[in-house]
Structures are given as C-alpha cells and as structure tokens.
Amino acid sequence: MNEHEHIAQQLREAAEAHQPDRARMLARVQRGAAGPAVRHRTRSGLRSWPKASIAALAAVGILATGTLAVAAVSGLVQTPTPPATTAPATPSPAVTPTPTPSAPAPAATAAPAPAPATAAPTSPRPAPSAGNRAQNGPLWSEGSVDPHSTVYWGQDNLLLRTAQPLTSLTVELRVAQTGDVRDTGTWRTLPADDFTVTVQESGGALVYRWVLKPGRTVPAGQHEFACQFNHATGVRAAGGDGYRVEAQSAGGAASVSGGLAPAR
C-alpha cells in the first residue's frame, strides 16, 4: 500500500470514528453568519508533497464535517414536512337514471280473425237405392255391383243378415245377358259343403243359385254371396241384375228380393 492509499484509509477511519458535537458546530455556524469572514494568510514557501497532500485532505475532511454540521443544524432548525397526500375522492356510484314510463300506446284494434276455412264438402258415398235393400222377418239384404268390376269382367254381391238361425235357405243372383255374359265362378262366406250350387241360362239371364243342403243350418249373423262372369268389352249396365232369397227359421218362412246398386 502506497502512501496516498494509506492516508486515504486513515481519513476514512477517522471520518467513520468521528462523533460530531452538534452544539459546538451550531455555535460555529452562528458565529460565522454574524461576523465577517476571517481571512488567514497562508505562509509562502514551498511545502513538501506529503504535507500539502495532508493539508488538502484535511480541508476536504473539514468541508465534509461542515456539510454534515450544516445538514444537522438544518435538521434541528426545520424538519421538512412531507407534502400532504390528498386521498383520491371515492367516486360516487354511477346513478342510472330511471326512465319515466311513457304512456302505453293505444292498442291497435285487432283485425277480426278470419273465419276458419270450411273444408270442401266431400261427396258422401252414394247410398244404395231403396230397390237394392229389403227386410222381412229375421232377414235383411242388400245387393250391389262389386267395385272391382272392369270393362271385361264383373261381379255381383249379396249381403244377407239373419237374426235367427236358418234351417232352409235358397239364394239366387240373376245377371242379365247384356252380351257375352259367361260364368267364371262363385264364392260365399259360408262353408261350400253346406250348399248345392248351380248356374244356368233362364229368361235372358244367367242365374246363380245356392241351396242349403238338408240337415245343415245357417247361423244367425252376416253372410255374403257373389257371382263372377265375363262380359262384352265396355262398361256393363247392371240395371237388369237382381237377387231373391227364401228362408225358413224357427219363426217361420221369410223372403227378400231386390236389385243391385251400382259399383261405388
């Protein structure tokens, strides 16, 4: 360590160990402020480098000590008051203006509701003519042309109802000979073995006949009979067709007859 560094270290240690006398420093400052500055004559002459350095460092130390003393005196004389901090005003909650309800608009006059559309009247199924239905005693009957008939082929139907069991029954369907009328078959809802079936030409008509065999019985209820045939090409008129029924029950004999309603 060179001489300069040794001196600097000694100064630092002296500054750190120094305990300033605030009263004496305050008196010195007050005396200096009251009287004229005293100028000291500096002796002329050459000083050795170490002595000049010590004097300069001593001056620096005195200045530092004086600065500390002035700061201490200023602290004793007046302590700066920190600026007052104004607390930010708490914002008032925003008030949403309540809209004044306006008078309700006059209700518009409701237009009269349109009348419900009336469904187009559907054409009722044509009721069979009075001539194709008949009733007598326990028997009720209705004759009609089957709707599946075509311009080449036809079928006539008979619906028979009986309120009592029948011990005797004969059913006839007459198909007028309108041109090339030829038998193609028959059917019924009752057992085939209970009847004797015949087909023959008679009086300008093809006559289909079902006769209940002896000892057989037709139960009360609804039964159907039908005859089938070919005919000349074209729409066939069935106005000459008809039926006849003769029966026997515990209540006595009864018979019904009539024409055929057109296909529907």
Side-chain angles (χ1 to χ4, degrees):
M1 179 182 298
N2 56 34
E3 183 178 1
H4 295 289
E5 292 177 351
H6 179 69
I7 295 173
Q9 182 177 359
Q10 288 180 345
L11 290 176
R12 282 197 299 271
E13 292 176 353
E16 291 175 357
H18 176 72
Q19 297 294 330
D21 188 343
R22 292 189 178 186
R24 294 180 64 188
M25 288 189 291
L26 180 57
R28 289 181 182 180
V29 171
Q30 289 176 350
R31 285 197 302 271
V38 179
R39 302 178 64 88
H40 299 276
R41 176 177 293 182
T42 304
R43 289 184 300 174
S44 61
L46 298 176
R47 297 182 175 86
S48 62
W49 171 249
K51 292 181 179 180
S53 298
I54 292 173
L57 290 176
V60 172
I62 293 170
L63 289 176
T65 303
T67 301
L68 293 174
V70 173
V73 170
S74 300
L76 293 173
V77 174
Q78 181 179 1
T79 302
T81 304
T85 302
T86 303
T90 303
S92 301
V95 179
T96 303
T98 303
T100 303
S102 57
T109 304
T118 304
T122 56
S123 300
R125 295 179 61 183
S129 64
N132 73 312
R133 290 180 179 177
Q135 184 172 2
N136 183 18
L139 300 180
W140 180 93
S141 60
E142 178 182 8
S144 63
V145 176
D146 192 89
H148 296 96
S149 298
T150 69
V151 294
Y152 307 104
W153 173 91
Q155 177 175 307
D156 287 354
N157 300 327
L158 173 64
L159 180 63
L160 178 66
R161 295 174 187 167
T162 176
Q164 298 177 0
L166 304 176
T167 57
S168 173
L169 176 64
T170 299
V171 176
E172 287 185 0
L173 277 172
R174 297 174 60 87
V175 181
Q177 185 55 262
T178 56
D180 295 334
V181 174
R182 296 187 303 274
D183 168 49
T184 59
T186 65
W187 65 268
R188 88 265 97 224
T189 55
L190 292 167
D193 292 342
D194 288 355
F195 292 88
T196 299
V197 183
T198 60
V199 181
Q200 59 183 6
E201 291 269 359
S202 175
L206 194 61
V207 180
Y208 293 80
R209 181 179 289 113
W210 291 264
V211 179
L212 184 65
K213 294 179 179 179
R216 307 296 173 88
T217 301
V218 175
Q222 177 173 295
H223 313 288
E224 293 183 41
F225 297 84
C227 63
Q228 299 170 333
F229 50 89
N230 287 335
H231 59 76
T233 302
V235 178
R236 178 179 176 274
D241 296 356
Y243 68 90
R244 180 178 178 81
V245 178
E246 294 181 353
Q248 184 74 39
S249 67
S255 63
V256 289
S257 62
L260 303 181
R264 58 183 186 276

